[in-house]
Amino acid sequence: MPAATGTKRVKGVSIHRPFVFGSIARPIDPDDKPKNLPAEHTHQWTVWVKGVDDEDISYWLKKVQFKLHETYANALRTKESTPFEITETGWGEFEIQIKMHFVPESNEKPQALWHALKLHPYGPDADGQRERREAIVSQNYEEVVFNEPVEQFYEILTGGPNITPKGKGGKGSKQAAMYGRSGGPKLRTAELPERDSPGNPYSRGTEGKELDRMKEAIKKVEGLMEIETKELKEKEARLELLKGSDGVAVKKK
């Protein structure tokens, strides 16, 4: 029996789409704290799902659900349009469940991931960051893989924008997301940008630097392993000498 309309899959094809999820937290100034905030709330934070370098992801992502700690009123928050983010205040760190729902044409089930909300600085400069009241950013690069997508969704994933620019279009509008600063269409791609930019550390340039650091680390580990192997062989040789002399060390002339 032939597949129903919209359910026939493109065999042998996998398509991945990169995205970023994370959060930013800022300490609330106690001298300028809104009166309606609970006294124990010390930070304002935002959690998000977005495209790398703010690329449009709404052509494959329909909505995002954020499941907060149970102490929040209406702990399950849903965003059905970009930006896929919510902002709250609080005092504690916890894990947020993020469930991504894909566009109806995808015929794909939702996927869930977890994000650890961070409010406080960590590391050697933690005290300095705390004194400077710096924002704490915690984000992760991820890729969603669509294995053998249905034909209609395959066309959506691989096709370019199907709208033409009309009017000016605001900075945060759908048109602005689909068209670049020059007004030309932004092709749908899974490639990382060539260079990083403010707010986006993910690029082919930073990827190359990370690969170089990994290569250097591998060389260092291989060198240490070579030294350890040499020392082990020397110890094994001395042990054999001791066995051959009934436990009495053999003095070399």
Side-chain angles (χ1 to χ4, degrees), residues 144-211:
V144 59
V145 180
F146 301 105
N147 290 314
E148 298 187 344
V150 296
E151 289 181 342
Q152 187 177 5
F153 190 42
Y154 174 82
E155 292 176 0
I156 291 174
L157 289 172
T158 58
N162 56 8
I163 60 173
T164 55
K166 294 181 180 179
K168 294 182 179 179
K171 181 179 179 181
S173 67
K174 178 73 172 180
Q175 177 182 316
M178 297 295 286
Y179 286 82
R181 295 185 180 89
S182 64
K186 293 169 67 177
L187 296 179
R188 293 171 181 171
T189 178
E191 296 295 330
L192 290 172
E194 186 67 33
R195 299 179 181 83
D196 55 356
S197 58
N200 174 51
Y202 308 105
S203 68
R204 277 176 278 180
T206 51
E207 183 181 47
K209 291 177 182 178
E210 186 65 25
L211 288 173

Side-chain angles (χ1 to χ4, degrees), residues 100-190:
M100 303 191 305
H101 296 258
F102 307 111
V103 294
E105 296 88 348
S106 71
N107 201 29
E108 298 281 349
K109 295 180 179 179
Q111 291 188 16
L113 48 88
W114 293 84
H115 172 68
L117 176 67
K118 291 185 178 180
L119 304 183
H120 308 290
Y122 298 91
D125 191 35
D127 291 336
Q129 288 180 287
R130 194 174 291 108
E131 289 181 9
R132 296 189 294 270
R133 306 183 66 81
E134 292 182 2
I136 305 301
V137 178
S138 173
Q139 62 179 352
N140 299 276
Y141 172 91
E142 188 58 88
E143 294 180 356
V144 59
V145 180
F146 301 105
N147 290 314
E148 298 187 344
V150 296
E151 289 181 342
Q152 187 177 5
F153 190 42
Y154 174 82
E155 292 176 0
I156 291 174
L157 289 172
T158 58
N162 56 8
I163 60 173
T164 55
K166 294 181 180 179
K168 294 182 179 179
K171 181 179 179 181
S173 67
K174 178 73 172 180
Q175 177 182 316
M178 297 295 286
Y179 286 82
R181 295 185 180 89
S182 64
K186 293 169 67 177
L187 296 179
R188 293 171 181 171
T189 178

Side-chain angles (χ1 to χ4, degrees), residues 5-58:
T5 303
T7 61
K8 186 177 180 181
R9 294 189 174 272
V10 182
K11 298 296 184 180
V13 172
S14 292
I15 296 180
H16 71 279
R17 284 294 175 264
F19 66 94
V20 178
F21 68 98
S23 61
I24 182 170
R26 295 181 175 86
I28 298 172
D29 186 348
D31 297 328
D32 193 29
K33 187 174 183 178
K35 295 181 179 180
N36 61 332
L37 283 186
E40 66 273 16
H41 283 204
T42 58
H43 290 75
Q44 181 182 71
W45 51 263
T46 300
V47 59
W48 69 76
V49 175
K50 62 182 181 180
V52 176
D53 203 20
D54 290 324
E55 287 291 329
D56 177 43
I57 59 174
S58 63

Side-chain angles (χ1 to χ4, degrees), residues 179-250:
Y179 286 82
R181 295 185 180 89
S182 64
K186 293 169 67 177
L187 296 179
R188 293 171 181 171
T189 178
E191 296 295 330
L192 290 172
E194 186 67 33
R195 299 179 181 83
D196 55 356
S197 58
N200 174 51
Y202 308 105
S203 68
R204 277 176 278 180
T206 51
E207 183 181 47
K209 291 177 182 178
E210 186 65 25
L211 288 173
D212 290 341
R213 284 194 291 267
M214 291 177 65
K215 289 177 182 178
E216 288 300 318
I218 290 172
K219 287 182 180 179
K220 185 176 181 180
V221 171
E222 288 176 343
L224 291 172
M225 289 178 63
E226 187 176 342
I227 293 173
E228 289 291 331
T229 300
K230 183 178 179 181
E231 291 179 351
L232 179 60
K233 288 180 177 180
E234 291 175 351
K235 290 178 181 178
E236 289 176 342
R238 288 198 295 270
L239 180 60
E240 289 299 320
L241 286 174
L242 287 171
K243 287 180 179 180
S245 59
D246 295 327
V248 181
V250 177

Side-chain angles (χ1 to χ4, degrees), residues 22 46-50 64 66 78-79 81-87:
T46 300
V47 59
W48 69 76
V49 175
K50 62 182 181 180
V64 178
F66 300 92
T78 303
K79 287 300 297 286
S81 60
T82 56
F84 297 115
E85 64 181 36
I86 61 168
T87 299

